[in-house]
Amino acid sequence: MARAVSLASIETQVRQRAQMENSTFITSAEMLSYINASGCELYELLVAARGKEYYLSSQTIVTTSGVSGYALATNFYEVVGIDLAVGGRSVTLQRYEFAERNRFQNPVVVPAFTPLVYGIEGTTLRLLPTPTSAQTVTVWYVPAPTLYTTTDSTFDGIAGWEEYIVVDCAIRCLQKQESDVSAFMAQKEQLRRRIQSMATMRDRSQAPRVTDVTIVDDVNWRTFLGRA
């Protein structure tokens, strides 16, 4: 972890900020629910900025002949990319649009070999045309945010960004107390802008560039199909 912070420490900071250090108005269980909710907000900010650079994970799936749907990881949140192992190398699968779902099912119009395409349907990865053999697929994805069940857990604040959770939780506490939260709301907005600005700069080695997704791995596919 870049900056490990205990949830117990976050709770203490929230109570100090909201001036509730010796109050039982907000229970520890309720505070933990606030921390989880505020943590999800921060998580979404980071995912929107550069999700794959903060929380990238992977899942390996081996296809079965005649089966097109495969269960995604239980903590799946959103896909970053999907690879298919082909001839000792990996190629990038393209996504099909839902309106195209029947395009690859008719054996009359589908060529003898058609590169697989994928779609996400709820908690299922759909591969088309339906695989006819065992093939290895790697799903690169951003996992769902962690649901903490105890303040003994630690949170990665990365660059002091746990302050966003502290301020947002303080707002929740004061709102329940029907107190003025305007100062904290202004501070939260400043933190949001700071995180959105800085989180996009995780890799400063090269400037971001546009990718033509219509030709991703085109050479690998043509080589595999004997068209190179």
Side-chain angles (χ1 to χ4, degrees), residues 13-15 17-20 25-26 31 34 38 41 163-191:
Q13 293 180 62
V14 173
R15 292 188 182 279
R17 204 69 62 88
Q19 297 185 342
M20 294 182 176
F25 183 66
I26 304 293
M31 184 68 75
Y34 289 171
S38 299
E41 281 194 26
E163 176 71 2
Y164 184 92
I165 298 177
V166 172
V167 170
D168 193 55
C169 284
I171 291 172
R172 295 171 190 271
C173 291
L174 292 172
Q175 283 178 329
K176 182 178 180 181
Q177 190 175 260
E178 299 183 352
S179 299
D180 179 33
V181 297
S182 55
F184 284 104
M185 291 294 290
Q187 187 178 359
K188 178 182 175 180
E189 177 60 20
Q190 291 176 345
L191 286 166

Side-chain angles (χ1 to χ4, degrees), residues 127-150:
L127 297 174
L128 298 176
T130 301
T132 57
S133 62
Q135 295 175 285
T136 300
V137 173
T138 301
V139 181
W140 298 97
Y141 70 97
V142 173
T146 300
L147 176 63
Y148 298 101
T149 58
T150 171

